[in-house]
Amino acid sequence: MAKKRQSVSFAAYIAMIPMALTVLLAYLGTMLWTARVSVSSSRTFPASDFVGASQYIRLFNNERWLLSLQNVVVYGVLFITACLVIGFLLAVFIDQKVMAEGALRTIFLYPYAMSFVATGLIWQWILNPELGIQEVLHKLGFADAKFDWIVDQDMAIYTIVIATVWQASGLVMALMLSGLRGVDEELWKAARIDGIPRWRVYVSIVLPMLGASVSTAFVLLFVMVVKVFDSVVAMTQGGPGTASEVPAKFIMDYLFGRANIGLASAASIVLLSTVLAIVAPLYFVRNRRVAKGA
């Protein structure tokens, strides 16, 4: 019996080798290589010299990079907040045992199955002043109606928020709904007996119980914010001008368009550090809670 267990354990370790190699080479290896390139004078091709933090200094003196950071902060706050609120409200709605629940879940979750490029192109058409909502309003008789955000430098970033919130809210709904289905029915019965308003139960009792679902949704949405690229390219190409520029597009432009892999690598490391700074504490806190629960 012991020999059989040892053989099974050995086979499991053998099966894990491809994934371990992928993690070490494809993930950790490329991250270390990027970090090394970011402290070199690399341009079109990687260089083996060492220039310290000069690439990072150049990066944060670059107005386009600073604008992309400003845009991604605005985008991230609005996107994450809207997705969490709308996703939670959708989950609460479906949790009322409504008719055609399965169909509604599919409808709300379907946009997330679409590619970000397809979503961007759809919303580019919808928001196009000459073809979309504004033109429809004009044909309905609202001649003074104006909805040209996608070509307005001050409003373009908000069109990206609208499109991506539409796409990602369904994912949050699914996560929140799984948490709501785990709430004991006795809780609702006790709340009804005590005469506590339903909204108060959700805010004061249910939401704190959904901590795991909320944190999972937050991490997924935050990662989507950091790597937002496809929808921006499909909708605005970072424009008008650089009005909707985001860090991922900055990196891709400097990596392939301007052949400056040193600066692009420095920007990539900054983004990686941002993700680790947010995700690592959440992961640590979550593990401690699990350990205390055990």
Side-chain angles (χ1 to χ4, degrees), residues 183-203:
V183 177
D184 193 343
E185 283 293 330
E186 295 300 320
L187 174 66
W188 296 110
K189 292 179 182 178
R192 283 196 297 269
I193 292 172
D194 292 339
I196 302 175
R198 198 172 185 84
W199 67 267
R200 185 64 181 272
V201 178
Y202 276 113
V203 173

Side-chain angles (χ1 to χ4, degrees), residues 73-260:
V73 169
V74 172
Y75 169 79
V77 171
L78 295 176
F79 172 74
I80 292 175
T81 302
C83 282
L84 289 176
V85 172
I86 294 173
F88 177 70
L89 293 177
L90 291 176
V92 170
F93 169 68
I94 293 180
D95 193 46
Q96 309 306 308
K97 308 296 189 296
V98 296
M99 293 179 60
E101 177 184 321
L104 288 173
R105 282 204 308 265
T106 302
I107 291 170
F108 293 147
L109 193 56
Y110 178 74
Y112 186 70
M114 299 174 62
S115 73
F116 283 101
V117 172
T119 297
L121 291 174
I122 291 169
W123 279 94
Q124 182 195 56
W125 180 82
I126 292 173
L127 298 171
N128 189 312
E130 298 180 357
L131 300 172
I133 295 175
Q134 179 173 294
E135 182 63 18
V136 171
L137 292 174
H138 288 176
K139 289 183 177 180
L140 290 174
F142 300 96
D144 296 329
K146 191 175 182 181
F147 192 62
D148 59 351
W149 287 9
I150 200 168
V151 294
D152 185 336
Q153 287 192 339
D154 295 327
M155 305 300 293
I157 191 66
Y158 301 109
T159 64
I160 311 297
V161 175
I162 293 171
T164 50
V165 165
W166 174 80
Q167 183 170 30
S169 293
L171 172 65
V172 179
M173 177 272 297
L175 293 172
M176 296 290 191
L177 184 60
S178 65
L180 288 174
R181 290 292 160 85
V183 177
D184 193 343
E185 283 293 330
E186 295 300 320
L187 174 66
W188 296 110
K189 292 179 182 178
R192 283 196 297 269
I193 292 172
D194 292 339
I196 302 175
R198 198 172 185 84
W199 67 267
R200 185 64 181 272
V201 178
Y202 276 113
V203 173
S204 301
I205 301 175
V206 174
L207 264 179
M209 294 174 64
L210 298 180
S213 297
V214 173
S215 62
T216 299
F218 176 83
V219 170
L220 292 175
L221 294 173
F222 179 78
V223 172
M224 291 169 66
V225 168
V226 171
K227 66 178 187 178
V228 61
F229 172 76
D230 297 352
S231 52
V232 173
V233 172
M235 289 182 67
T236 65
Q237 287 288 331
T242 57
S244 56
E245 181 82 0
V246 290
K249 186 175 183 301
F250 176 94
I251 291 170
M252 296 299 287
D253 285 351
Y254 273 81
L255 187 61
F256 297 107
R258 302 196 178 193
N260 191 336

